[in-house]
Amino acid sequence: MEILKALFRNTRLLILDEPTSMLTPQEIREFFDVLRMLRAEGHSIILIAHNLAEILEISDRVTILRDGKRVCTLNTAQTNERELSRHMIGRDFLEAEHARTDTDAGQEVLNVRQLCLQGPERTPLLDQINLVVHSGEILGIAGIDGNGQAELAEILVGIRRQSAGEIFLAGKRLDHLSIRRRSELGLAYIPSDRHQDGLVMDADVAANVHLRDYYRPPFAKAHLLLFAEMQKSARRMAEDYQVKTPSVFTKARVLSGGNQQKLILARELSAAASLTIACQPTRGLDIGATEYLRGQLLNRRNGGKSVLLISTDLGEILALSDRIAVLHGGRIMGVVENTKSLSVETLGLMMGGSTLEEASACR
């Protein structure tokens, strides 16, 4: 509709900012056909995107920006993902093949039963959600943004209260417990908005990395904070998780987006959590930081821990998940094993509102 409105005004130049983020794979193909038609009719298009495969598929030339500056402009037909990645992060980048080890995925860690959430005027935001996550498993939640992903994550960590249903972590019921108590029982959370929900931007690195445990020994004694211990621990964690910071006294807002996310990882993954909920964990990160974060999540899985990965990036879901649940309109359309035989077409239909049975019948 936005493109039609622009064409109606005889627009010759279209500027599209992440236009595929709300589309299914089938809709992306149709959208690219429209762009090719507009190009053939003489329209100019500037496409701003982070998905390199899409850039290579649809563009004629590609310009790389880094730190607000133009790095280079290349003819798309004469470049590839590796070269683009090198220009984007400023160094050679070798995509890691993160190994999947065999794990005992039998123990139930998270069990969500008949979870419901009602919005304004009693409209269902989440409807009869049933999920199980096992130890040594990454369960991916796929879907177009705005279909209940944020609400699901916030209910699981305790930010919101559900209208109905039950949540169990390692057999213990969570749904009436506080955020802190859930954290103490073994739940870690990587939020989608690191500025709003993940960090205290005007606090320093040491304070942010200890938001989970500042009130417990060895960082507190008789209601007093032991800052020396916090700073010592923060230096070690920053080194372990490759957080590039001038010092542990540096404010979080000064760090790059990638280092802010690594700071959250250091806080959440250093805890002895049995379940990590990662909501859009690589959004806004460069390729290097994205691969580092994905590797950390897979390390958790390979170590026998559980991960609930909520992402609108279908490539990310397919790369990391053992099983995939598709969320549409606040409902789970189906849960599938992530095997080589899994069709992206099937996932795309489910993301568009088809049940697993309906999507399978269309193949």
Side-chain angles (χ1 to χ4, degrees):
M1 287 301 297
E2 294 301 318
I3 292 177
L4 286 175
K5 285 159 59 178
L7 295 177
F8 184 76
R9 295 192 295 268
N10 296 318
T11 300
R12 304 303 299 173
L13 172 65
L14 291 173
I15 302 176
L16 308 176
D17 188 2
E18 298 286 357
T20 63
S21 62
M22 301 288 287
L23 303 180
T24 66
Q26 290 90 338
E27 291 169 338
I28 290 173
R29 285 199 299 271
E30 294 173 1
F31 176 66
F32 282 176
D33 288 341
V34 172
L35 294 188
R36 293 187 182 99
M37 179 187 68
L38 293 173
R39 177 178 60 188
E41 292 177 353
H43 294 276
S44 299
I45 302 169
I46 297 176
L47 177 66
I48 302 170
H50 73 280
N51 189 310
L52 295 185
E54 292 180 3
I55 288 289
L56 291 170
E57 178 181 350
I58 195 61
S59 68
D60 299 295
R61 292 181 298 135
V62 55
T63 294
I64 304 294
L65 300 179
R66 187 173 71 245
D67 297 329
K69 298 179 181 179
R70 174 184 171 277
V71 176
C72 64
T73 298
L74 303 170
N75 291 322
T76 305
Q78 299 172 352
T79 189
N80 53 48
E81 287 195 26
R82 185 177 296 272
E83 182 180 15
L84 295 180
S85 299
R86 184 172 66 249
H87 289 302
M88 288 172 69
I89 64 178
R91 57 179 171 80
D92 285 328
F93 171 71
L94 298 177
E95 185 171 353
E97 288 291 335
H98 301 295
R100 289 178 177 272
T101 62
D102 292 333
T103 60
D104 180 9
Q107 183 179 357
E108 183 180 289
V109 176
L110 176 69
N111 190 329
V112 179
R113 303 176 185 172
Q114 300 294 310
L115 192 69
C116 298
L117 176 66
Q118 291 184 340
E121 300 181 1
R122 302 183 68 83
T123 56
L125 299 179
L126 294 174
D127 186 12
Q128 303 292 321
I129 300 294
N130 292 284
L131 290 173
V132 174
V133 186
H134 302 94
S135 59
E137 176 184 51
I138 297 179
L139 175 64
I141 304 292
I144 300 171
D145 204 8
N147 276 275
Q149 295 96 325
E151 290 82 358
L152 175 60
E154 290 175 355
I155 287 176
L156 294 179
V157 299
I159 297 172
R160 290 182 186 236
R161 294 295 185 189
Q162 72 270 32
S163 304
E166 299 173 326
I167 306 167
F168 293 88
L169 181 65
K172 298 178 181 178
R173 189 167 176 178
L174 294 186
D175 35 288
H176 298 298
L177 300 180
S178 67
I179 296 174
R180 174 182 287 187
R181 186 63 184 134
R182 297 183 196 207
S183 172
E184 292 171 341
L185 288 175
L187 195 155
Y189 179 45
I190 302 170
S192 59
D193 189 335
R194 55 183 170 269
H195 293 173
Q196 182 70 29
D197 302 319
L199 297 167
V200 180
M201 299 301 289
D202 286 321
D204 61 26
V205 168
N208 273 287
V209 86
H210 286 295
L211 289 176
R212 286 177 64 104
D213 54 13
Y214 68 90
Y215 58 93
R216 298 199 301 253
F219 311 116
K221 183 177 180 181
H223 306 293
L224 296 176
L225 295 178
L226 303 180
F227 290 106
E229 289 295 330
M230 292 175 65
Q231 292 156 9
K232 178 181 176 182
S233 172
R235 291 188 186 95
R236 183 182 68 252
M237 293 167 69
E239 181 177 351
D240 290 344
Y241 285 86
Q242 302 177 19
V243 181
K244 296 180 181 179
T245 177
S247 78
V248 295
F249 304 108
T250 301
K251 289 185 177 181
R253 70 168 61 256
V254 176
L255 303 180
S256 68
N259 283 299
Q260 288 173 348
Q261 196 74 333
K262 288 179 182 178
L263 184 59
I264 295 173
L265 283 180
R267 182 183 69 226
E268 299 298 321
L269 301 190
S270 62
S274 57
L275 171 69
T276 300
I277 298 175
C279 191
Q280 314 290 0
T282 62
R283 177 178 285 174
L285 301 185
D286 65 34
I287 294 174
T290 293
E291 284 304 306
Y292 175 83
L293 189 144
R294 290 177 178 177
Q296 290 296 315
L297 294 180
L298 279 172
N299 288 342
R300 297 290 282 188
R301 177 257 187 205
N302 293 341
K305 304 298 184 181
S306 305
V307 178
L308 182 65
L309 173 63
I310 302 173
S311 177
T312 56
D313 185 338
L314 189 55
E316 180 167 81
I317 291 287
L318 289 167
L320 299 181
S321 304
D322 296 288
R323 292 185 299 131
I324 301 171
V326 178
L327 192 62
H328 172 80
R331 296 172 54 231
I332 297 293
M333 309 311 295
V335 182
V336 295
E337 296 287 339
N338 187 12
T339 63
K340 292 183 179 179
S341 62
L342 177 61
S343 168
V344 175
E345 297 290 332
T346 298
L347 291 176
L349 289 171
M350 293 167 68
M351 290 166 64
S354 299
T355 64
L356 175 58
E357 292 75 17
E358 293 168 343
S360 299
C362 292
R363 291 184 60 186

